[in-house]
Amino acid sequence: MKFEGTQSYVATDDLKLAVNAAITLERPLLIKGEPGTGKTMLAEQLAESMGAKLITWHIKSTTKAHQGLYEYDAVSRLRDSQLGVDKVHDVANYIKKGKLWEAFESEERAILLIDEIDKADIEFPNDLLQELDKMEFYVYETNQTIKAKQRPIIIITSNNEKELPDAFLRRCFFHYIAFPDRETMKKIVEVHFPKIEQTLLSEAMDIFFDVRKVPGIKKKPSTSELVDWLKLLMADQIPEAVLRDRDPTKAIPPLYGALVKNEQDVQLLERLAFMTRRQNR
């Protein structure tokens, strides 16, 4: 079964090729791209299209690799032993299964999403090399080896906050989700708003791509932010004429809070508007 995208997810030909190549090679698919370009949603839609279970492991700065395998609660066991609880004699009662264990024991092939792997410590990816290679790991406390019943399809996302180790990269199939061009963006928006007025969409996209092209802007608006902005424009019934006939001395678009997300960029747009006013005198 090949991934061809879904009705609610516009996948480019390159992305579909990358997903299917990773599945064929039985390699983790490492996805990079700007925030808001649909990296996490890819795993969700892949699971939907294949009718597979999605197991999501959200990575934080404090996440350790062994937490994806299992965690042994020695403190609870010690407390129970002091209280004379019967279950203390079986160490398995104090083993908490991680997301990899959950994926490995699935009877049907699962989709495992390791989301934002670059948030963790630099050694985190290397600590998972053997488990991702051999699809098995050893539980010392219970003296058992956990092997994957069905090799999961692994999607790993990264926002490029830090470089990933070469040894880890060698084991992955890599794809960078380029920012959508105007035509692709139009298709994405129409998935969310199939009845959107085309004139409103055209004018809004003009402003959106203009803001992204402003030199020095710190946080370029993303696809998800465009979708949010259009939702507001339609909810407030902002006419396309307001966008089309906007004053060039006012660089900040209406309801800009959905697009511009920090004060530095707001100030930058305000300075551009001030410079435009001076040039027009």
Side-chain angles (χ1 to χ4, degrees), residues 57 59 63-71 96-104 112 114 124 128 131 137:
W57 186 12
I59 306 302
T63 304
K64 302 299 181 185
H66 70 84
Q67 293 173 315
L69 309 179
Y70 69 93
E71 292 183 89
K96 180 182 177 182
K97 297 178 181 179
K99 297 297 184 180
L100 264 74
W101 190 329
E102 185 181 345
F104 284 7
L112 173 62
I114 304 178
F124 178 91
L128 289 176
E131 289 75 14
F137 62 89

Side-chain angles (χ1 to χ4, degrees), residues 252-269:
I252 301 181
L255 299 169
Y256 69 86
L259 290 178
V260 185
K261 296 301 178 74
N262 62 63
E263 63 277 14
Q264 295 97 323
D265 289 342
V266 173
Q267 292 166 2
L268 173 61
L269 294 177

Side-chain angles (χ1 to χ4, degrees), residues 57-68 115-116 119-121 124 127:
W57 186 12
H58 294 294
I59 306 302
K60 302 178 181 179
S61 59
T62 56
T63 304
K64 302 299 181 185
H66 70 84
Q67 293 173 315
D115 201 24
E116 297 188 331
K119 285 188 179 298
D121 182 83
F124 178 91
D127 291 341

